[in-house]
Amino acid sequence: MNARDANARLVIAIDGPSGSGKSSVSKEVARRFGLAYLDTGAMYRAVTWWCLETGVDLHDADAVVGAAETVPLELGTDPDEERILVNGEDVRAAIRGDLVTDHVSQVSTTVPAREVLVRMQQDIIRDSGFRIVAEGRDITTVVAPDADVRILLTASEAARLARRGRQLGAAASSNLEAQVVGRDAKDSTVVNFTQAQDGVQLLDSSDLTMEQTVQGVIDLVIRATDSTDHGAGTAPDETGADAPEETRQA
Ligand SMILES: Nc1ncnc2c1ncn2[C@@H]1O[C@H](COP(=O)(O)OP(=O)(O)OP(=O)(O)O)[C@@H](O)[C@H]1O
Ligand SMILES: Nc1ccn([C@H]2C[C@H](O)[C@@H](COP(=O)(O)O)O2)c(=O)n1
């Protein structure tokens, strides 16, 4: 398999804790390889929003599973155009708000609800023609353990808190540490996204810029998929990233 072949299967699975850069990096990697992009965290958030909206008791596991099974969710996979509709309503902003962020772990720690969402995620990966970057907490281990490239993207707690603080700016909650570190602690009770499992490559982005992290992922993809391309570390399209390394922009 060659990552540059536009028809070849290429499933890239990326897991990691909150604020490690999964979404931003995955979207950019998807653009450069011409792949679809799946934000599985958005699915947990959308189900949480739907439960809150329809008065589902988040402590009632059966009701949460029912909501996961019936949520009228439309999720796009274009890395250039985020599309998340629930019951026809655009929920992109609402699902990132404090209310959903503070409650989402109640859905993500309901194991039978996870099973419903995992099946949906596997369907989306299949429907992409197996040409997709999927990111979350259990993609490398549960959703797509057979992915062509499996990466655990980490960053130190300090780096993740600083990034999330910068990202939210004035909108940052006084609860930021709980929203990042506390949420990871809750989610870690049902999935392991802190240690790389066998066959999963660890990429620590604590001291890397966004571009260096994107390039780090691209290098891992090329190494995993093209044995003749070791060390080339070049991206696959006409953006200039395909040029020899020394001619590319930093
Ligand atoms: N290597 C990096 N260096 C500096 N900033 C980064 C880096 N990677 C990501 N960021 C920034 O950190 C912020 C958080 O990144 P992102 O939302 O992609 O994280 P995430 O892992 O998807 O988080 P979550 O799982 O909570 O959604 C963004 O503003 C992003 O631009
Ligand atoms: N595969 C996944 C994706 C996400 N989650 C949980 C973890 C988070 O608390 C929540 C929202 O994710 P985010 O948007 O912050 O990436 O969903 C999960 O358990 N498994």
Side-chain angles (χ1 to χ4, degrees), residues 2-62:
N2 185 319
R4 291 187 180 84
D5 181 347
N7 298 311
R9 171 200 152 106
L10 181 56
V11 177
I12 303 174
I14 301 185
D15 287 326
S18 179
S20 58
K22 298 179 302 295
S23 314
S24 343
V25 169
S26 298
K27 257 184 251 176
E28 187 55 26
V29 169
R31 285 185 197 109
R32 297 207 194 168
F33 282 106
L35 302 174
Y37 161 67
L38 173 60
D39 176 354
T40 60
M43 297 174 75
Y44 286 90
R45 288 174 180 274
V47 172
T48 306
W49 182 86
W50 183 238
C51 289
L52 293 167
E53 184 75 5
T54 56
V56 167
D57 177 0
L58 289 168
H59 296 100
D60 179 343
D62 289 341

Side-chain angles (χ1 to χ4, degrees), residues 16-25 39 45 96 135 137 153 163-164 166-167 183 205-206 208-211 213:
S18 179
S20 58
K22 298 179 302 295
S23 314
S24 343
V25 169
D39 176 354
R45 288 174 180 274
R96 315 269 177 222
E135 54 97 353
R137 305 292 191 287
L153 180 61
R163 286 174 189 174
R164 191 40 50 86
R166 276 197 301 273
Q167 183 182 35
R183 190 154 54 89
S205 70
S206 307
L208 302 181
T209 63
M210 266 290 294
E211 179 53 33
T213 311

Side-chain angles (χ1 to χ4, degrees), residues 44 114-123 138 142-143:
Y44 286 90
R114 297 191 69 83
E115 289 165 4
V116 173
L117 291 184
V118 165
R119 281 195 295 276
M120 284 184 201
Q121 291 155 12
Q122 290 170 333
D123 288 347
D138 59 350
V142 178
V143 176

Side-chain angles (χ1 to χ4, degrees), residues 28 67 69 71 88 96 105 118 125 130 132 160 207 223 230:
E28 187 55 26
E69 283 170 340
V71 61
R96 315 269 177 222
S105 292
V118 165
I125 292 171
F130 297 99
I132 196 162
R160 293 186 290 113
D207 299 318
R223 269 189 216 122
H230 277 268

Side-chain angles (χ1 to χ4, degrees), residues 15-236:
D15 287 326
S18 179
S20 58
K22 298 179 302 295
S23 314
S24 343
V25 169
S26 298
K27 257 184 251 176
E28 187 55 26
V29 169
R31 285 185 197 109
R32 297 207 194 168
F33 282 106
L35 302 174
Y37 161 67
L38 173 60
D39 176 354
T40 60
M43 297 174 75
Y44 286 90
R45 288 174 180 274
V47 172
T48 306
W49 182 86
W50 183 238
C51 289
L52 293 167
E53 184 75 5
T54 56
V56 167
D57 177 0
L58 289 168
H59 296 100
D60 179 343
D62 289 341
V64 171
V65 174
E69 283 170 340
T70 57
V71 61
L73 171 65
E74 290 171 55
L75 184 74
T77 57
D78 180 345
D80 287 319
E81 193 190 341
E82 189 179 42
R83 179 179 154 82
I84 311 170
L85 302 178
V86 178
N87 206 23
E89 185 174 339
D90 181 348
V91 295
R92 285 174 300 172
I95 65 169
R96 315 269 177 222
D98 284 347
L99 186 63
V100 169
T101 299
D102 291 343
H103 288 91
V104 64
S105 292
Q106 287 179 265
V107 171
S108 59
T109 57
T110 302
V111 172
R114 297 191 69 83
E115 289 165 4
V116 173
L117 291 184
V118 165
R119 281 195 295 276
M120 284 184 201
Q121 291 155 12
Q122 290 170 333
D123 288 347
I124 293 170
I125 292 171
R126 193 198 52 235
D127 291 348
S128 76
F130 297 99
R131 288 188 55 77
I132 196 162
V133 183
E135 54 97 353
R137 305 292 191 287
D138 59 350
I139 313 303
T140 61
T141 52
V142 178
V143 176
D146 59 347
D148 303 291
V149 192
R150 296 152 74 212
I151 297 171
L152 181 64
L153 180 61
T154 61
S156 67
E157 194 174 298
R160 293 186 290 113
L161 281 169
R163 286 174 189 174
R164 191 40 50 86
R166 276 197 301 273
Q167 183 182 35
L168 296 173
S173 159
S174 52
N175 223 8
L176 190 67
E177 190 159 346
Q179 288 188 344
V180 174
V181 184
R183 190 154 54 89
D184 281 344
K186 286 184 202 155
D187 295 329
S188 289
T189 60
V190 289
V191 271
N192 180 356
F193 50 86
T194 50
Q195 285 144 344
Q197 305 299 297
D198 273 358
V200 177
Q201 314 276 342
L202 185 69
L203 180 59
D204 185 341
S205 70
S206 307
D207 299 318
L208 302 181
T209 63
M210 266 290 294
E211 179 53 33
Q212 287 170 331
T213 311
V214 169
Q215 192 59 47
V217 171
I218 288 172
D219 289 346
L220 289 174
V221 172
I222 289 175
R223 269 189 216 122
T225 59
D226 183 357
S227 56
T228 63
D229 206 0
H230 277 268
T234 55

